[in-house]
Amino acid sequence: MEFKNEFHETLQLLDRNDLLKHIILIGSWAEYLYEESNIIDNYVSTTKTFDIDFLIRNIRLPREGVNIFKIFEEEEYITDMSRNGIVVFRKGKFEIEFLARQIGKPTITIKSPSFGLEVETLGHMSVIVDNTIDVKFNNLVVIIPDPVAFIIHKMIINKNRGEKKEKDIVAIKNLVFYMENIPEYVLKMELLFDKLTKNEKKAVRKFVLDHNIDIEL
C-alpha cells in the first residue's frame, strides 16, 4: 500500500485533536488494518488507494465542535470544494474525505455541525455503524468495520459503485477467501445477514450468485 506514512500522519493528527473516537475508518485503508493488526489470520490486502474515507459516527459530535479546516490547513493540506459543497483535504495525490450515513429521506449531502463540513452521505451504513472493532495501530486506537460487516456492505452497494465496482469485487473475494473456513466469521455472516432489510438481503444474494461466492445464505 502506498502513502503509508501519510496515512499514519493523518491518524496521528486526528488523534491529537481527539477525533479518532468520533470517526470510523472505512474503505480500502480498513483492509490494510485487517492485515497490519492481524484481524484475519494470514490475510494480505490486495487493495491500493490514495484516499482515506472516514465515516462520521454522529454528525453532532463532538458537542464542542472542531475547526477541521484549520486542523488540516496547519498541516499544509489544500482544501478542495465541489459545487455541492463537499470538501476533500488534499496533499499531492493523497486525499482525505469525511462522510456520513444516510438516515431517513435520501440526500446526497448533509451538514455536519460539529465538523463544520458538508459531507456526502452513504446508504445502507447501519451494518457498518452497528458492527465496528477497535484496533491498535502504531499506538493509536482506530475504529474500523468488522470485516464481515465490511463485506456485506460492499456486496449491497456494489451495483452502484461505478468505476470502483470491479476493485470492490476483488476485495470482497479476497476477504472471503481468508474467512470462509473460520467458524467465527461464518456464524457472524449469518447473524448479520438476518438483520438486513429485505432489499439488502436480495442484493447480497444476487452478488453471491453472480460472482460465485462460496457462502450459503
Side-chain angles (χ1 to χ4, degrees):
M1 186 80 84
E2 295 184 65
F3 301 109
K4 291 180 182 178
N5 290 337
E6 290 86 348
F7 173 65
H8 186 216
E9 289 169 2
T10 300
L11 295 181
Q12 288 180 313
L13 174 62
L14 293 167
D15 183 63
R16 287 198 301 272
N17 288 276
D18 201 29
L19 291 176
L20 279 185
K21 64 187 178 183
H22 295 294
I23 53 181
I24 303 170
L25 174 66
I26 59 177
S28 300
W29 285 101
E31 296 173 57
Y32 172 67
L33 289 193
Y34 295 147
E35 176 181 347
E36 289 296 302
S37 301
N38 199 33
I39 299 300
I40 305 166
D41 288 344
N42 303 312
Y43 172 71
V44 178
S45 172
T46 60
T47 303
K48 296 180 181 179
T49 187
F50 53 82
D51 62 324
I52 304 181
D53 292 329
F54 291 107
L55 182 76
I56 301 172
R57 301 176 75 184
N58 184 330
I59 59 173
R60 291 176 176 79
L61 295 177
R63 297 190 190 283
E64 62 274 15
V66 294
N67 189 336
I68 200 74
F69 292 93
K70 182 179 179 181
I71 289 171
F72 281 100
E73 286 170 1
E74 287 182 346
E75 297 299 319
E76 301 182 346
Y77 279 84
I78 295 170
T79 301
D80 283 348
M81 186 176 295
S82 67
R83 288 184 179 180
N84 57 5
I86 295 175
V87 172
V88 173
F89 298 103
R90 190 188 314 276
K91 184 182 286 187
K93 293 183 178 180
F94 189 66
E95 300 177 356
I96 300 164
E97 184 175 356
F98 294 90
L99 308 143
R101 65 191 295 193
Q102 198 175 83
I103 300 176
K105 185 178 179 180
T107 58
I108 297 173
T109 68
I110 192 171
K111 181 79 171 183
S112 171
S114 292
F115 280 66
L117 290 174
E118 189 76 21
V119 295
E120 183 180 356
T121 62
L122 300 177
H124 308 285
M125 291 302 297
S126 292
V127 68
I128 294 286
V129 175
D130 296 339
N131 297 280
T132 61
I133 54 177
D134 296 352
V135 297
K136 200 77 171 290
F137 175 71
N138 289 351
N139 296 316
L140 300 171
V141 177
V142 185
I143 303 171
I144 61 175
D146 181 286
V148 176
F150 184 90
I151 289 173
I152 289 177
H153 181 255
K154 279 195 174 294
M155 287 181 177
I156 293 170
I157 67 171
N158 186 255
K159 66 180 183 295
N160 300 318
R161 288 286 281 167
E163 62 183 21
K164 295 183 178 180
K165 183 176 181 178
E166 293 303 318
K167 185 184 79 168
D168 282 357
I169 292 170
V170 172
I172 292 167
K173 287 186 173 182
N174 187 46
L175 279 162
V176 169
F177 173 79
Y178 285 96
M179 296 166 58
E180 62 187 352
N181 294 316
I182 302 176
E184 172 192 351
Y185 290 124
V186 173
L187 177 59
K188 184 166 287 186
M189 178 70 74
E190 294 172 355
L191 292 173
L192 295 192
F193 179 81
D194 285 343
K195 295 179 181 179
L196 300 178
T197 66
K198 182 178 179 180
N199 286 338
E200 288 172 342
K201 288 178 179 178
K202 183 178 178 180
V204 171
R205 286 195 176 107
K206 186 176 188 309
F207 184 94
V208 168
L209 181 63
D210 289 349
H211 301 286
N212 298 313
I213 306 295
D214 189 19
I215 296 175
E216 293 185 12
L217 294 170

